[in-house]
């Protein structure tokens, strides 16, 4: 009887999860539900065995720890995916806003700032989201960020000088 009850409970949970319209909330719920079910199945299997050894408990605990780590990793990936989607939408809106700007130094200045900000943001994003990044790669990315900031300052100074010459003419 317990098995049938568990089956219907899980089917009801699955049906409720499918009703969640927000893709990220639904995916998050699916991940947590799958994790909870796997943990419950391991605990049930151990509870049903009469001669569970200490080694079996240790291996089960290792499995549970790995499951917990995988869930955390999957949830973090989902969060990063959502952040990237939101960032992409914001960038698209910014692009449209800049397309509507009148041509001239103000637009060139704004687009230069935007270009550098995005390049730096992309590099910082890599530092945040890439798990297997080496110390050397991290150092190189940080060096690239510093160089981009210096190049940005130089380009902004060049633009300001060009604008002064244009206004003096």
């Amino acid at each position: 009887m317990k098995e049938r009850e568990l089956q219907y409970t899980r089917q009801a949970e699955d049906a409720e999860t499918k009703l969640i319209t927000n893709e990220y909330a639904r995916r998050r719920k699916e991940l947590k539900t799958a994790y909870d079910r796997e943990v419950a199945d391991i605990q049930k299997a151990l509870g049903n065995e009469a001669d569970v050894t200490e080694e079996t408990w240790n291996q089960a605990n290792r499995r549970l720890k790995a499951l917990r780590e995988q869930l955390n990793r999957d949830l973090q990936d989902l969060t990063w995916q959502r952040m990237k989607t939101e960032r992409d939408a914001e960038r698209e809106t910014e692009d449209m806003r800049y397309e509507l700007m009148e041509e001239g130094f103000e637009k060139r200045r704004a687009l230069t700032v935007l270009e550098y900000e995005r390049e730096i943001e992309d590099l910082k994003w890599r530092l945040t989201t890439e798990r297997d990044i080496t110390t050397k790669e991290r150092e190189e990315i940080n060096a690239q960020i510093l160089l981009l900031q210096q190049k940005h300052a130089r380009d902004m100074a060049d633009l300001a000088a060009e604008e002064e010459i244009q206004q003096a003419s």
Side-chain angles (χ1 to χ4, degrees):
M1 185 61 181
K2 286 271 190 191
E3 194 64 37
R4 177 173 266 174
E5 184 179 317
L6 178 62
Q7 178 186 3
Y8 285 122
T9 299
R10 288 182 174 182
Q11 288 175 348
E13 287 173 347
D14 291 344
E16 290 171 346
T17 300
K18 288 178 183 176
L19 294 174
I20 298 173
T21 56
N22 180 296
E23 175 187 349
Y24 295 102
R26 184 179 61 252
R27 185 70 185 122
R28 186 175 201 80
K29 174 80 170 149
E30 289 170 349
L31 288 169
K32 286 182 176 182
T33 299
Y35 167 79
D36 290 343
R37 288 177 181 178
E38 196 156 353
V39 168
D41 291 345
I42 291 170
Q43 290 171 339
K44 180 181 173 189
L46 289 173
N48 289 340
E49 292 185 28
D51 59 342
V52 177
T53 65
E54 184 177 339
E55 181 60 22
T56 302
W57 278 108
N58 289 339
Q59 295 307 319
N61 283 331
R62 280 184 57 209
R63 176 73 178 132
L64 291 171
K65 181 181 177 191
L67 284 172
R68 204 169 22 257
E69 288 175 14
Q70 186 62 48
L71 172 66
N72 289 336
R73 185 174 274 203
D74 290 346
L75 291 173
Q76 185 63 60
D77 287 347
L78 189 62
T79 299
W80 287 337
Q81 180 185 3
R82 182 178 187 163
M83 290 170 63
K84 183 181 181 320
T85 300
E86 290 171 355
R87 186 183 73 187
D88 290 347
E90 289 170 3
R91 284 183 172 187
E92 192 172 322
T93 302
E94 281 178 336
D95 290 344
M96 289 180 199
R97 194 173 299 129
Y98 286 110
E99 284 178 23
L100 294 173
M101 285 180 78
E102 200 172 304
E103 293 297 326
F105 282 109
E106 200 58 43
K107 182 174 183 175
R108 285 180 52 205
R109 182 181 302 112
L111 289 173
T112 300
V113 169
L114 180 67
E115 176 185 332
Y116 283 107
E117 283 177 350
R118 285 184 178 177
E119 285 185 61
I120 290 170
E121 183 180 282
D122 290 345
L123 289 170
K124 287 180 178 179
W125 182 259
R126 281 189 59 204
L127 288 173
T128 302
T129 61
E130 290 184 19
R131 288 191 181 93
D132 299 328
I133 197 165
T134 66
T135 303
K136 178 69 175 159
E137 289 170 324
R138 189 171 297 282
E139 289 170 358
E140 289 300 320
I141 291 171
N142 282 322
Q144 290 172 17
I145 290 170
L146 181 63
L147 291 170
L148 276 170
Q149 290 169 335
Q150 293 170 355
K151 188 173 184 297
H152 172 69
R154 188 192 69 218
D155 286 353
M156 293 305 290
D158 290 349
L159 266 175
E162 187 179 326
E163 186 175 15
E164 280 183 35
I165 292 171
Q166 180 74 23
Q167 287 175 350
S169 305

